[in-house]
Amino acid sequence: QKEVEQNSGPLSVPEGAIASLNCTYSDRGSQSFFWYRQYSGKSPELIMFIYSNGDKEDGRFTAQLNKASQYVSLLIRDSQPSDSATYLCAPSNDYKLSFGAGTTVTVRA
Amino acid sequence: KAGVTQTPRYLIKTRGQQVTLSCSPISGHRSVSWYQQTPGQGLQFLFEYFSETQRNKGNFPGRFSGRQFSNSRSEMNVSTLELGDSALYLCASSLWDTNTEAFFGQGTRLTVV
């Protein structure tokens, strides 16, 4: 079992729709959970992080965390073409981030 | 506020050589961690330093080493380069008390020929 699993992509959504990204993790000691966006050829850019169970909203992005289910998700509302990128889920524990393989999102106009 | 700065941005080295990469964290950040990104393996953790002490290390051979200076700047070194070391090397900085954001630099693209 991989440490971090993300829904396989690519995920194609129409402009203005909601993109839903899922992530499960195996390390129950994980304390914080990060979502990064990475454009092709660029470094990861932090979108959000969450450490308490429940929802956290920041603009068009909402992260949801359920530690009992070892599950974290990211919703992107009103998707824009500029949201087309690979999204990386990264739980943290013991001073390290463990990354999933990423989900590639394509927003079609 | 300046972001995380990595130098150089690009490097081409020959097998068997060694290389040193540098990372300057965001001002006030004391934790620096290093990651290797390849198409096949994705992003993998190399090591993390806080106040000049290595607090965690990933599963990489001893050819990969790092250090942190008193001003929080960090370097990583790879000795006896192999073709498989070709990758994007990313540095992330954070305050790294529990539950703080980690920000990445632009990375150093290393090509081993």
Side-chain angles (χ1 to χ4, degrees):
Chain A
Q1 181 189 7
K2 293 181 181 177
E3 276 191 65
V4 182
E5 300 212 42
Q6 298 186 236
N7 45 330
S8 58
L11 178 65
S12 180
V13 298
E15 186 173 356
I18 295 175
S20 177
L21 307 172
N22 303 317
C23 174
T24 57
Y25 59 95
S26 60
D27 183 359
R28 285 196 171 273
S30 298
Q31 298 173 324
S32 303
F33 303 84
F34 295 76
W35 283 100
Y36 288 90
R37 174 174 64 195
Q38 188 172 29
Y39 295 110
S40 181
K42 301 294 186 182
S43 64
E45 172 192 8
L46 181 64
I47 298 175
M48 293 189 67
F49 85 107
I50 185 169
Y51 54 86
S52 298
N53 281 327
D55 297 358
K56 180 180 179 182
E57 186 174 318
D58 184 358
R60 297 186 295 110
F61 299 96
T62 299
Q64 300 174 317
L65 174 62
N66 184 326
K67 289 185 179 180
S69 300
Q70 296 176 256
Y71 171 85
V72 59
S73 68
L74 180 71
L75 296 177
I76 308 173
R77 292 184 302 282
D78 187 24
S79 295
Q80 301 298 308
S82 60
D83 295 327
S84 297
T86 296
Y87 290 79
L88 299 161
C89 168
S92 80
N93 187 23
D94 202 16
Y95 313 117
K96 80 170 190 180
L97 297 171
S98 298
F99 284 89
T103 300
T104 298
V105 173
T106 301
V107 180
R108 55 185 193 275
Chain B
K1 194 173 186 181
V4 181
T5 303
Q6 290 189 245
T7 56
R9 292 290 310 279
Y10 302 93
L11 266 179
I12 300 176
K13 290 286 188 178
T14 305
R15 269 184 306 174
Q17 288 186 312
Q18 74 161 13
V19 66
T20 299
L21 312 181
S22 179
C23 173
S24 293
I26 292 170
S27 178
H29 285 192
R30 295 168 64 190
S31 167
V32 173
S33 49
W34 290 88
Y35 295 82
Q36 181 196 65
Q37 187 172 31
T38 59
Q41 299 298 319
L43 269 155
Q44 294 186 287
F45 171 75
L46 282 156
F47 25 67
E48 189 266 357
Y49 289 88
F50 182 88
S51 293
E52 302 178 67
T53 300
Q54 186 183 86
R55 297 193 295 188
N56 199 353
K57 186 179 189 303
N59 296 322
F60 278 82
R63 300 184 297 106
F64 292 81
S65 63
R67 60 178 176 168
Q68 187 180 36
F69 302 95
S70 58
N71 62 357
S72 295
R73 189 178 69 87
S74 178
E75 290 181 347
M76 68 163 282
N77 184 77
V78 188
S79 62
T80 319
L81 284 165
E82 301 176 359
L83 295 179
D85 297 333
S86 295
L88 179 65
Y89 289 89
L90 292 158
C91 162
S93 88
S94 72
L95 293 169
W96 217 280
D97 290 327
T98 303
N99 304 330
T100 60
E101 299 104 318
F103 299 95
F104 282 90
Q106 293 297 95
T108 294
R109 173 74 63 185
L110 172 64
T111 302
V112 182
V113 297

